[in-house]
Amino acid sequence: EAQVTQNPRYLITVTGKKLTVTCSQNMNHEYMSWYRQDPGLGLRQIYYSMNVEVTDKGDVPEGYKVSRKEKRNFPLILESPSPNQTSLYFCASSFFAGGDGELFFGEGSRLTVL
Amino acid sequence: AQSVTQLGSHVSVSEGALVLLRCNYSSSVPPYLFWYVQYPNQGLQLLLKYTSAATLVKGINGFEAEFKKSETSFHLTKPSAHMSDAAEYFCAVSDRGNYQLIWGAGTKLIIKP
């Protein structure tokens, strides 16, 4: 089954404790992206990747890191989480880097930072 | 810079009534336009998209949207609402040649029995 898989789905952590949210897709997509969703703000892009070893900042990259060592994986790293990073996070992928291509989303990872 | 406005953070309709969710964009050049739906506790999935073919676009689950260049709008409609349509709907736009999507803030559709 074609899918984007994120883990963990739910996480409660404390300020400053490094964490990684994994994202994997099995569709051989070149483009991958991370978003955060907050009430009333829609989706805001954190980082995106056009292909392996190519990553770029989105609209809200502060406090986050990413890597794209393999085509299928695009982990999101929070080196020192803070409460303002409490949010719902989505990973998405596409054959094309946006344009008219459909984005496929994971089911989301709800992060709470205390 | 491109922007997307969805009118109404919440829209409530009765089951069987017409659904109309509004989306306006700011580009002067016709962009690519999308509607995505998010059911509770799930990720987003594509409902329909406009990429410069027919201005009336049909999507899944009986939804359709009409691209109106003169009004810079791409409103989403469904003739008869069903309880299963309760979800949050997002409009998004990308400029041709630009690889990033700009998202609206979302509209939560509530269906009254």
Side-chain angles (χ1 to χ4, degrees):
Chain A
E1 181 189 352
Q3 59 186 4
V4 178
T5 303
Q6 296 178 227
N7 280 297
R9 294 286 315 278
Y10 301 91
L11 179 63
I12 300 174
T13 190
V14 295
T15 299
K17 186 175 182 181
K18 180 180 179 180
L19 67 92
T20 299
V21 185
T22 64
C23 174
S24 181
Q25 50 92 5
N26 63 359
M27 295 169 279
N28 202 36
H29 286 169
E30 290 189 347
Y31 178 85
M32 296 186 75
S33 180
W34 275 103
Y35 294 92
R36 62 177 288 172
Q37 182 181 15
D38 301 288
L41 297 178
L43 276 79
R44 294 181 292 169
Q45 191 175 48
I46 303 170
Y47 270 94
Y48 64 96
S49 170
M50 306 273 273
N51 213 325
V52 175
E53 301 293 0
V54 180
T55 63
D56 275 299
K57 296 178 180 179
D59 299 317
V60 289
E62 294 77 21
Y64 305 95
K65 285 175 59 176
V66 293
S67 67
R68 187 94 182 271
K69 294 184 172 61
E70 307 164 282
K71 199 170 190 178
R72 63 184 292 128
N73 295 323
F74 191 45
L76 179 70
I77 303 157
L78 285 72
E79 293 270 3
S80 183
S82 62
N84 65 12
Q85 292 178 298
T86 293
S87 188
L88 179 59
Y89 292 87
F90 287 101
C91 180
S93 70
S94 173
F95 277 116
F96 308 108
D100 65 347
E102 176 182 357
L103 274 173
F104 292 82
F105 284 81
E107 292 194 313
S109 297
R110 186 169 292 281
L111 171 65
T112 301
V113 183
L114 302 176
Chain B
Q2 181 72 268
S3 66
V4 178
T5 303
Q6 290 184 240
L7 190 62
S9 59
H10 293 77
V11 170
S12 180
V13 302
S14 297
E15 191 172 18
L18 171 71
V19 174
L20 171 61
L21 304 182
R22 301 177 188 274
C23 173
N24 288 87
Y25 63 93
S26 62
S27 175
S28 59
V29 176
Y32 297 126
L33 294 155
F34 306 81
W35 277 99
Y36 281 80
V37 60
Q38 183 182 27
Y39 297 105
N41 299 314
Q42 293 186 26
L44 285 74
Q45 62 184 85
L46 183 68
L47 258 184
L48 50 81
K49 66 179 181 181
Y50 167 78
T51 59
S52 83
T55 56
L56 183 62
V57 181
K58 294 189 184 301
I60 61 172
N61 301 336
F63 283 92
E64 61 183 36
E66 186 172 7
F67 170 66
K68 291 188 176 180
K69 181 181 175 181
S70 61
E71 299 177 7
T72 59
S73 69
F74 191 56
H75 301 333
L76 182 70
T77 60
K78 181 174 181 178
S80 177
H82 191 273
M83 295 301 291
S84 61
D85 295 326
E88 190 157 18
Y89 293 79
F90 291 91
C91 181
V93 58
S94 70
D95 289 329
R96 292 158 195 272
N98 181 333
Y99 295 130
Q100 303 312 313
L101 283 176
I102 307 300
W103 295 85
T107 297
K108 192 159 286 187
L109 178 63
I110 300 160
I111 311 295
K112 297 179 290 186

